[in-house]
Amino acid sequence: MSEKEMQVIKMSTLYELRLIISQGEKGDYTRQEILELLDKIATAKDQE
């Protein structure tokens, strides 16, 4: 995988997290909640 492809993957993951947070009902998230969201994204990526 090229460096450019890795960068695209990183940015898409960050964007997914942003969408999850911005579309959620909560206004504030704890560190633990953000880590759980990242874990869910990572798990979903593994299943693709």
Side-chain angles (χ1 to χ4, degrees):
M1 187 176 295
S2 73
E3 189 66 33
K4 179 69 175 171
E5 289 171 321
M6 290 296 293
Q7 184 65 25
V8 168
I9 290 169
K10 288 178 187 177
M11 295 306 292
S12 69
T13 301
L14 288 172
Y15 189 66
E16 283 183 61
L17 181 59
R18 183 195 183 287
L19 288 176
I20 289 169
I21 291 172
S22 69
Q23 294 173 357
E25 295 177 9
K26 293 181 71 168
D28 297 316
Y29 289 84
T30 66
R31 178 183 298 175
Q32 186 61 38
E33 289 170 326
I34 292 171
L35 292 174
E36 289 171 6
L37 290 172
L38 288 170
D39 289 344
K40 288 178 185 178
I41 291 171
T43 301
K45 292 283 186 198
D46 283 344
Q47 294 176 359
E48 288 181 354

